[in-house]
Amino acid sequence: MRYSGWKVITEGLLGNTGWGRAWRDPAPKAEYDAIVIGGGGHGLATAYYLAKNHGLTNIAVLEKGYLGSGNIGRNTTIVRANYFLPGNSEFYSHSLKLWEKLEGELNYNVMHSQRGHIILFHSDGQRDAAVRRGNAIVNQGDDAELLSVAQLKDMLPYLDYNQTRFPIYGGLIQRRAGTARHDAVAWGYARAADKLGVDLIQNCEVTGIDTVDGKVIGVQTTRGAIRAKKVGMVVAGRSSQVAAMAGMRLPIESHVLQAFVTEGLKPVIDHVVSYGMGHFYISQSDKGGLVFGGDIDMYSSYASRGNLPMVEHVMEAGMTLMPMLARARVLRSWGGIMDMTPDGSPIIDKTHIDGLFIDAGWNYGGFKAAPASGWCMAHLMATGQSHEVARRFRLDRFRTGHVMDEEGTGSQHNLH
Amino acid sequence: MRLTCPLCGTRDRREFYYSGSEDYLNRPAEGAPIEAWDDMLHLRTNPAGVTKDLWYHETGCGSWLLVTRNTITHAVLATELVAARKGGAA
């Protein structure tokens, strides 16, 4: 079924009786051409592009819980391409271009809103860094624009510009950046992949990876053994556990990142705004809730819930920047498990086992990357070659010294 | 979360700086192959369950602690001074 405005009208008249399932619920077959472990944003995107770009339709996505039950439904929904380093810059640029065509391509409303993302700066040094970053983004072919305090005051009148410690010196805006409805991204990819014949198998936990003579031959699951000559591990925060089944030890430590949402308010924040002197970023959802987050809790955790000191820190940073937040009531907070690498950049690569691939290490920037991550992982699994824009996301780059430390904070997993 | 420093007693988590896994204590010998350094600095078992990691009592006594805790429940199971371990400080 094709979704359209006309369909909404006719279904409205017919009592919404004709929508049907968005995707099938198939039982696993004994064998597939390829298996993607993980039914989150990246896994579903990988399956979709394997089918769409490479004609591989006899494939399955194996998901431990339900589709989109992980970080794809637990994030602050920011989509941007304002990275600096070669390797990251072209990759996120590619991703943003995919975002811009995503809804038409998937025939699904992911509520992609290019409302602009503003990074504030609070010192001369930060301004220099913002100018440099902006130039790098423009050289990459994307948009970046420096905003003066006067321009900012016009756009964001609610900020506290004269904070005693961190007065606002200006901002760097990327107008094509914005937000998207996170769950809808998973659902859109799932529905589109299913339509191309991909089996989306839920409640199917992978319990083992079978290899013979250094080649992968399939996986063991809670729903029986499934054979495949190509297997992709796309499991974000659980990457270490899944890779351990193949005897691998990854350069990843899992950490919790918290996010928060307030009660629904009238439109008040029109952009995505990031604070340059505290780890704080905020936007307003279409439903009216203020969605905001901060830094990870800083110690390794799989708890999917955070600790209070970081809650306090995020609220302090928010209040410093936007005193008006004091009147908003926080409805809920949640935590997602982030696969942190020692340089803050991801991994899309082969492994030491023939036919086994890995897509991991998204730190806490995985949401905006989902389309390009799926695109590049599908390219790697189908052709055996790294995609041009993901060629630096090597698994062995820490050993060889080709690290991509975007923030320049050093080789410690929790510092990115 | 609260950690029990062997010297200062039970203290708020905010007094401590988290460094990372106990792997940092297994420093390779001089002349060890690059894989050994990669193993210590980057590769992690990253268990979902009981783990051991290094914390620095930054705003307390300045000791390095080896903390045994559960990454799923956040329960702290044991703390010891790195300096008091066999072989001494890292």
Side-chain angles (χ1 to χ4, degrees):
Chain A
M1 182 205 304
R2 197 173 160 74
Y3 294 161
S4 65
W6 177 247
K7 186 76 190 159
V8 171
I9 293 167
T10 53
E11 281 300 322
L13 294 172
L14 296 169
N16 290 308
T17 50
W19 289 112
R21 295 184 69 103
W23 52 81
R24 297 166 294 131
D25 184 23
K29 288 194 254 176
E31 184 165 4
Y32 290 96
D33 293 338
I35 286 173
V36 176
I37 306 173
H42 292 237
L44 292 165
T46 300
Y48 170 72
Y49 291 119
L50 274 171
K52 178 80 192 309
N53 295 355
H54 304 282
L56 280 169
T57 53
N58 181 33
I59 62 176
V61 175
L62 307 182
E63 166 55 44
K64 177 171 79 168
Y66 58 91
L67 295 182
S69 53
N71 293 343
I72 188 73
R74 311 169 74 80
N75 58 71
T76 46
T77 79
I78 300 168
V79 175
R80 58 186 168 88
N82 51 1
Y83 281 71
F84 178 74
L85 290 180
N88 279 332
S89 185
E90 62 263 39
F91 175 84
Y92 289 100
S93 176
H94 183 60
S95 203
L96 184 55
K97 287 177 193 126
L98 292 175
W99 275 105
E100 287 172 330
K101 291 187 215 148
L102 199 60
E103 292 173 325
E105 170 152 7
L106 300 180
N107 179 227
Y108 206 92
N109 181 11
V110 303
M111 297 165 75
H112 183 215
S113 157
Q114 294 182 291
R115 59 185 67 181
H117 172 243
I118 300 162
I119 305 172
L120 301 170
F121 47 81
H122 308 265
S123 67
D124 291 333
Q126 280 198 327
R127 181 194 282 125
D128 290 348
V131 170
R132 186 165 176 244
R133 176 174 293 267
N135 285 337
I137 297 164
V138 170
N139 285 340
Q140 171 59 41
D142 295 313
D143 69 297
E145 197 182 315
L146 211 65
L147 298 175
S148 67
V149 173
Q151 285 172 296
L152 269 181
K153 280 185 173 168
D154 194 37
M155 291 171 72
L156 313 174
Y158 49 79
L159 297 180
D160 182 357
Y161 285 85
N162 299 309
Q163 306 157 36
T164 44
R165 285 192 67 194
F166 307 119
I168 296 168
Y169 277 46
L172 182 71
I173 185 169
Q174 182 169 54
R175 294 189 192 274
R176 282 166 64 219
T179 62
R181 170 79 203 279
H182 50 9
D183 300 305
V185 177
W187 300 334
Y189 272 120
R191 176 168 165 272
D194 175 84
K195 214 173 193 175
L196 293 173
V198 176
D199 280 359
L200 308 175
I201 300 162
Q202 306 180 66
N203 300 309
C204 180
E205 182 175 356
V206 171
T207 54
I209 294 173
D210 297 333
T211 59
V212 170
D213 300 332
K215 290 180 183 165
V216 74
I217 57 163
V219 296
Q220 298 291 329
T221 77
T222 49
R223 295 176 71 173
I226 306 174
R227 304 292 87 175
K229 291 192 176 64
K230 289 180 178 178
V231 175
M233 302 183 283
V234 194
V235 293
R238 291 283 173 171
S239 292
S240 295
Q241 280 73 50
V242 174
M245 294 175 197
M248 295 167 67
R249 207 162 167 256
L250 299 178
I252 285 175
E253 196 172 86
S254 293
H255 286 257
V256 160
L257 177 70
Q258 303 189 62
F260 311 85
V261 65
T262 69
E263 60 192 331
L265 304 168
K266 287 189 175 179
V268 58
I269 293 176
D270 303 326
H271 313 83
V272 183
V273 182
S274 292
Y275 187 20
M277 281 313 294
H279 215 127
F280 177 81
Y281 37 91
I282 188 166
S283 65
Q284 187 166 18
S285 78
D286 289 5
K287 213 160 61 179
L290 303 179
V291 183
F292 57 99
D295 212 339
I296 53 172
D297 275 19
M298 294 310 241
Y299 56 92
S300 68
S301 170
Y302 285 87
S304 295
R305 60 179 165 76
N307 214 327
L308 288 173
M310 190 50 70
V311 178
E312 188 178 30
H313 176 83
V314 170
M315 301 298 164
E316 279 173 359
M319 283 292 296
T320 306
L321 192 63
M322 303 177 185
M324 69 174 179
L325 292 183
R327 305 297 287 274
R329 280 168 291 197
V330 173
L331 276 190
R332 58 184 179 274
S333 69
W334 64 96
I337 306 169
M338 309 291 124
D339 31 336
M340 307 294 291
T341 59
D343 65 355
S345 295
I347 295 158
I348 302 178
D349 205 355
K350 300 175 189 177
T351 67
H352 68 292
I353 294 167
D354 204 18
L356 184 66
F357 304 89
I358 183 161
D359 178 308
W362 292 98
N363 296 272
Y364 46 89
F367 179 68
K368 63 180 141 350
S373 167
W375 184 284
C376 296
M377 182 63 168
H379 186 275
L380 176 67
M381 288 180 69
T383 66
Q385 302 293 323
S386 286
H387 189 276
E388 192 189 2
V389 300
R391 68 189 189 286
R392 296 187 197 228
F393 295 162
R394 297 285 303 269
L395 179 58
D396 66 357
R397 68 174 180 270
F398 306 101
R399 180 163 51 76
T400 60
H402 294 89
V403 294
M404 296 159 64
D405 189 347
E406 186 82 23
E407 293 182 13
T409 42
S411 154
Q412 195 172 308
H413 302 75
N414 63 335
L415 295 184
H416 296 281
Chain B
M1 190 163 81
R2 288 167 78 78
L3 295 176
T4 302
C5 172
L7 300 180
C8 311
T10 302
R11 296 301 184 98
D12 189 281
R13 173 258 176 278
R14 280 170 283 198
E15 291 191 9
F16 299 86
Y17 170 81
Y18 172 86
S19 167
S21 157
E22 67 165 336
D23 291 318
Y24 285 127
L25 293 178
N26 304 321
R27 196 177 173 83
E30 199 179 332
I34 196 135
E35 285 75 16
W37 290 97
D38 188 35
D39 216 42
M40 177 197 71
L41 286 169
H42 308 125
L43 303 184
R44 294 292 175 259
T45 305
N46 192 20
V50 176
T51 191
K52 283 190 175 188
D53 38 34
L54 293 170
W55 297 69
Y56 175 60
H57 199 177
E58 193 171 26
T59 62
C61 60
S63 299
W64 279 95
L65 308 182
L66 183 62
V67 176
T68 308
R69 59 185 186 90
N70 189 311
T71 56
I72 297 171
T73 63
H74 289 172
V76 178
L77 307 172
T79 48
E80 58 178 310
L81 290 174
V82 171
R85 298 172 80 232
K86 198 179 168 189

